Amino acid sequence: MLPTQGYAVMTAKTALQPFSFERREVGPHDLLITITHCGICHSDIHQARDEWGGSTFPMVPGHEIVGTVVQAGSAVETFKVGERVGVGCFVDSCRTCGPCREGSEQYCEAGMLLTYNGLDKDGQPTYGGYSTQIVVDEHYVLRIPPALSPAGTAPLLCAGITTYSPLRHWGVGKYHKLAVVGLGGLGHMAVKVAKALGTEVTVLSTSEQKREDAERLGASDFAITSQPEMFTRLQRRFDFILDTVSAPHNYNNYVNLLKTDGTLILVGVPDKPTLLEPFPLILHRRRIAGSVIGGIRETQGMLDFCATHSIESDVEVIPIQQVNEAYERVLKGDVRFRFVIDLGSLK
Ligand code: NAP
Ligand code: ZN
Ligand code: ZN
């Protein structure tokens, strides 16, 4: 077993603290990766605080992982020692069901194996990227294009693919008007990716302070969601709305902003349900849909797309000793737009 240092929450009510644990030995198809950077996703906070239920402890969060291959198993074919690689939200799946065979492992019928807060085939819990190293099967590892910086790329492994995948799935492009609700980690990536696809983007935010950020990122319009007149001004404006909001809010207001046949795509996961009104959907044949991260092949495609379009996440790099403070700042919306932990601080 491989002794590893990390930061863990021991219960849903306690702060992250230093934690020692063991990774499995490197198997024939495994890569041992020294982690250099790991993004802080709002899902880390939801799960560390057991806001969705079913969390297991101790928990080492982190699923926006960038690092370097330091050892490759005897049967590894696709990666070499020294290569810069990424690991996202899952590290295995059944590999035989329809979605797995199609490359949509995130929809595996047996359930994807989460990078942390999951239970591996050997019955051991999985531990995530707030740690010095990780052992992952090569089939679930991504190649980081050399043009991208490691810190700015880490958030692409979750925030990037979670927004890229639905935009591509629904064919959002230059003839569409898109609204992005919530300008956080996911939201700012959605604006960047949609702009690269040629889409006209409006940002809907709770925070006036983000108006300039939205413009800088390329949004052509911006509105504050606490102002009721906004919901009149933007009625039937959008082909698609991508909702990245992490807290409960009224979806019905946003449905009314869709054109006929428009689609509200949910990616944000509030911890409480919302009542749906049928008429706004029925009268304009609108849809509400959801989407979770993306498959391995698609995630590689997203990374290559980002390299081609010079897209990285806007990040604030912190040492791991500041992770608890960073969680509080994420909850206050006080980060532009993603914290990334420099794991060099843990050595
Ligand atoms: P984040 O950086 O905290 O951004 C969330 C944004 O939501 C905030 O910046 C804020 O934007 C808005 N917001 C927060 N509280 C709000 C409230 N009470 N009412 C209205 N708006 C509010 O979080 P993130 O990392 O982007 O994650 C966003 C959500 O997506 C989380 O629930 C996360 O678990 C989920 N997620 C889902 C997937 C998936 O595969 N579907 C993947 C990753 C994350 P403004 O300041 O602009 O209002
Ligand atoms: Zn995430
Ligand atoms: Zn499967």
Side-chain angles (χ1 to χ4, degrees), residues 41 43 63 158:
C41 177
S43 302
H63 58 207
C158 176

Side-chain angles (χ1 to χ4, degrees), residues 32-37 66-70 131-134 347:
L32 173 61
I33 299 163
T34 293
I35 300 172
T36 59
H37 296 87
V66 168
T68 307
V69 177
V70 290
S131 61
T132 49
Q133 59 183 4
I134 190 165
K347 300 263 160 56

Side-chain angles (χ1 to χ4, degrees), residues 93-101 105 107-111:
S93 63
C94 86
R95 308 180 191 207
T96 56
C97 73
C100 279
R101 285 205 308 267
E105 301 92 342
Y107 300 116
C108 173
E109 285 166 9

Side-chain angles (χ1 to χ4, degrees), residues 4-15:
T4 302
Q5 304 305 314
Y7 262 55
V9 277
M10 308 309 280
T11 77
K13 302 252 179 277
T14 49

Side-chain angles (χ1 to χ4, degrees), residues 209-238:
Q209 288 115 326
K210 293 185 182 171
R211 183 183 292 273
E212 275 180 29
D213 296 302
E215 276 171 20
R216 178 178 51 79
L217 292 165
S220 52
D221 197 1
F222 179 89
I224 295 292
T225 51
S226 57
Q227 296 173 344
E229 58 274 21
M230 172 212 104
F231 289 101
T232 314
R233 173 169 81 84
L234 297 177
Q235 253 182 54
R236 293 197 293 280
R237 171 74 61 95
F238 303 108

Side-chain angles (χ1 to χ4, degrees), residues 40-44 47 52 63-64 89 116 155 157-159 162 186 293 338:
I40 296 179
C41 177
H42 205 119
S43 302
D44 297 348
Q47 290 175 93
W52 296 335
H63 58 207
E64 293 183 337
C89 297
Y116 67 87
L157 277 312
C158 176
T162 298
L186 266 57
I293 46 174
R338 204 49 141 195

Side-chain angles (χ1 to χ4, degrees), residues 67-81:
T68 307
V69 177
V70 290
Q71 191 183 332
S74 55
V76 167
E77 288 176 352
T78 41
F79 293 94
K80 292 196 173 54
V81 169

